[in-house]
Amino acid sequence: ANGYYFSRWGKCIWSSHDLSDMVFVDNYIFNKDVFIQFNSTVGEFVGYTELGVHNAQNWNNNPGQLQTEKAQIESFCKHNAEIRQSTVTDKS
């Protein structure tokens, strides 16, 4: 609307079959630029713009929000990866 674009992309990255190296990355994007990101390896939000830095400070001071992001590895990433892996294994 009015030429502004906001999106949020969450992605799971792993290479091992046991999913032990899985990383969750959650990007907040405004007009095609990531302005804040959560990376489970870092364990907190990182801001890339003035607004992103401000929001990252606020969000990192909210234990509930940080815990919700950290839990995405189990509830979102590993859950879906296990389903995908079993689908591929069942077909071979």
Side-chain angles (χ1 to χ4, degrees):
N2 298 328
Y4 295 104
Y5 178 76
F6 173 82
S7 64
R8 181 177 174 191
W9 292 5
K11 59 184 168 184
C12 307
I13 304 164
W14 74 97
S15 60
S16 66
H17 289 292
D18 65 356
L19 310 177
S20 60
D21 63 344
M22 185 166 281
V23 176
F24 174 66
V25 179
D26 195 4
N27 290 312
Y28 293 77
I29 304 159
F30 182 72
N31 285 352
K32 300 182 183 178
D33 291 324
V34 174
F35 70 96
I36 191 168
Q37 180 183 79
F38 177 85
N39 182 317
S40 63
T41 304
V42 176
E44 66 181 14
F45 291 95
V46 176
Y48 296 103
T49 65
E50 187 177 340
L51 176 62
V53 169
H54 175 75
N55 285 338
Q57 289 172 345
N58 289 335
W59 297 355
N60 288 332
N61 289 325
N62 182 340
Q65 189 161 7
L66 276 178
Q67 195 61 25
T68 298
E69 288 287 332
K70 291 176 183 177
Q72 294 300 316
I73 288 235
E74 295 295 327
S75 63
F76 176 68
C77 292
K78 288 186 179 178
H79 171 74
N80 289 319
E82 289 167 354
I83 292 170
R84 289 183 185 115
Q85 283 186 342
S86 69
T87 302
V88 170
T89 309
D90 291 347
K91 292 188 180 203
S92 53

